[in-house]
């Protein structure tokens, strides 16, 4: 049973999200908070597996709360909000969110997101995937050109995995496409993280786009999962 904390400044939304998770067979809500600071305290007290966190809350916003809960407490966080724009999406993901959902997502999608992040899968609402893809295309970053001999060296297989990741495939799909085990895919990703100096899949995609290793298509607007 996955233990969850729910955070939202609206009592009705807290109750609705808690009831939704409790109605599933996989999740049980152990506490709910009305602001970021309270949610951090609840996570310290109850040590849940996942925190489902609204972003626009008083006292401490959800982004700051996610940063503490994910980085200091090691608890997976899923952002859920009405705001689907770059001013909210990128800060939330950079803070450590394992997922980003819109509040108009279907109940099934929300429950699936909470269970999926336990398998190290990043879950993004389709609208968020499309937003990130459009942003990458319209506003590509332009880092300084690497000095001779300093460009990261990736093996052909690591590049194969990165290209498929950039198409929105999860580990199982990458493994099937390359005739590998899922464990081997994870090993190739871990090596790519190390070579490119990143810590997760999102950073890997961004860095690969910056270096011109893949086309900036993060990745397939029809896909909403990026398994780790």
């Amino acid at each position: 049973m996955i233990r969850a904390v729910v955070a939202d400044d609206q009592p009705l939304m807290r109750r609705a999200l808690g009831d939704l998770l409790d109605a599933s067979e996989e999740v049980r809500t152990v506490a709910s908070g009305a602001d970021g600071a309270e949610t951090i305290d609840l996570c310290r007290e109850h040590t849940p597996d996942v925190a489902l966190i609204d972003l626009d809350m008083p006292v401490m916003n959800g982004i700051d709360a996610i940063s503490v809960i994910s980085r200091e407490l090691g608890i997976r966080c899923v952002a859920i909000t009405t705001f689907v724009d770059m001013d909210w999406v990128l800060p939330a993901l950079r803070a450590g969110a394992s997922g980003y959902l819109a509040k108009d997502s279907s109940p099934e999608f929300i429950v699936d997101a909470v269970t999926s992040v336990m398998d190290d899968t990043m879950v993004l609402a389709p609208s968020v995937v499309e937003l990130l893809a459009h942003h990458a295309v319209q506003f590509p970053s332009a880092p300084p050109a690497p000095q001779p001999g300093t460009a990261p060296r990736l093996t052909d297989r690591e590049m194969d995995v990165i290209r498929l990741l950039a198409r929105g495939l999860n580990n199982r799909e990458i493994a099937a496409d390359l005739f590998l085990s899922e464990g081997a895919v994870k090993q190739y990703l871990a090596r790519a993280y190390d070579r490119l100096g990143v810590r997760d899949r999102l950073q890997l995609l961004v860095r690969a786009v910056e270096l011109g290793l893949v086309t900036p298509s993060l990745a397939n607007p029809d896909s909403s999962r990026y398994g780790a």
Side-chain angles (χ1 to χ4, degrees):
M1 183 69 69
I2 298 170
R3 303 170 71 254
V5 162
V6 171
D8 197 291
D9 62 329
Q10 299 181 20
L12 185 60
M13 180 58 68
R14 286 200 306 275
R15 177 68 179 271
L17 290 173
D19 289 347
L20 170 64
L21 297 180
D22 290 340
S24 71
E25 297 181 354
E26 300 93 348
V27 188
R28 178 168 63 91
T29 305
V30 297
S32 61
D35 60 66
E38 181 184 13
T39 303
I40 291 172
D41 291 339
L42 290 171
C43 286
R44 287 197 173 106
E45 177 183 355
H46 295 277
T47 60
D49 302 299
V50 179
L52 188 62
I53 301 177
D54 181 30
L55 297 184
D56 188 18
M57 295 188 294
V59 184
M60 176 187 285
N61 64 52
I63 293 173
D64 291 340
I66 287 171
S67 181
V68 174
I69 293 168
S70 65
R71 301 182 192 283
E72 296 184 18
L73 305 183
I75 295 169
R76 293 173 174 84
C77 296
V78 177
I80 182 164
T81 179
T82 57
F83 304 108
V84 181
D85 59 60
M86 297 304 293
D87 290 339
W88 291 89
V89 172
L90 282 184
L93 295 179
R94 287 169 176 160
S98 297
Y100 196 108
L101 311 180
K103 285 188 176 178
D104 61 359
S105 299
S106 69
E108 296 79 11
F109 189 84
I110 293 173
V111 173
D112 184 62
V114 172
T115 58
S116 294
V117 297
M118 294 305 300
D119 294 324
D120 291 327
T121 297
M122 176 174 280
V123 182
L124 305 176
S127 57
V128 175
V129 177
E130 186 171 3
L131 176 69
L132 290 170
H134 289 168
H135 181 83
V137 171
Q138 295 176 12
F139 305 102
S141 57
Q147 297 299 314
T150 63
R153 295 182 178 179
L154 297 164
T155 67
D156 290 342
R157 187 57 87 187
E158 288 164 357
M159 279 302 309
D160 290 339
V161 170
I162 291 174
R163 291 189 188 101
L164 293 176
L165 175 66
R167 285 171 46 194
L169 275 64
N170 60 32
N171 281 2
R172 186 176 299 107
E173 293 165 336
I174 293 173
D177 192 282
L178 298 178
F179 301 100
L180 298 170
S181 68
E182 289 187 53
V185 171
K186 289 184 178 182
Q187 289 180 354
Y188 284 122
L189 284 171
R191 292 171 188 167
Y193 294 166
D194 185 58
R195 295 183 198 277
L196 297 184
V198 300
R199 60 179 174 78
D200 57 39
R201 298 167 78 88
L202 181 65
Q203 289 187 357
L204 176 62
L205 285 170
V206 171
R207 185 63 175 146
V209 169
E210 289 176 342
L211 293 172
L213 301 177
V214 296
T215 54
S217 58
L218 187 75
N220 176 355
D222 295 328
S223 177
S224 59
R225 296 184 185 178
Y226 294 88

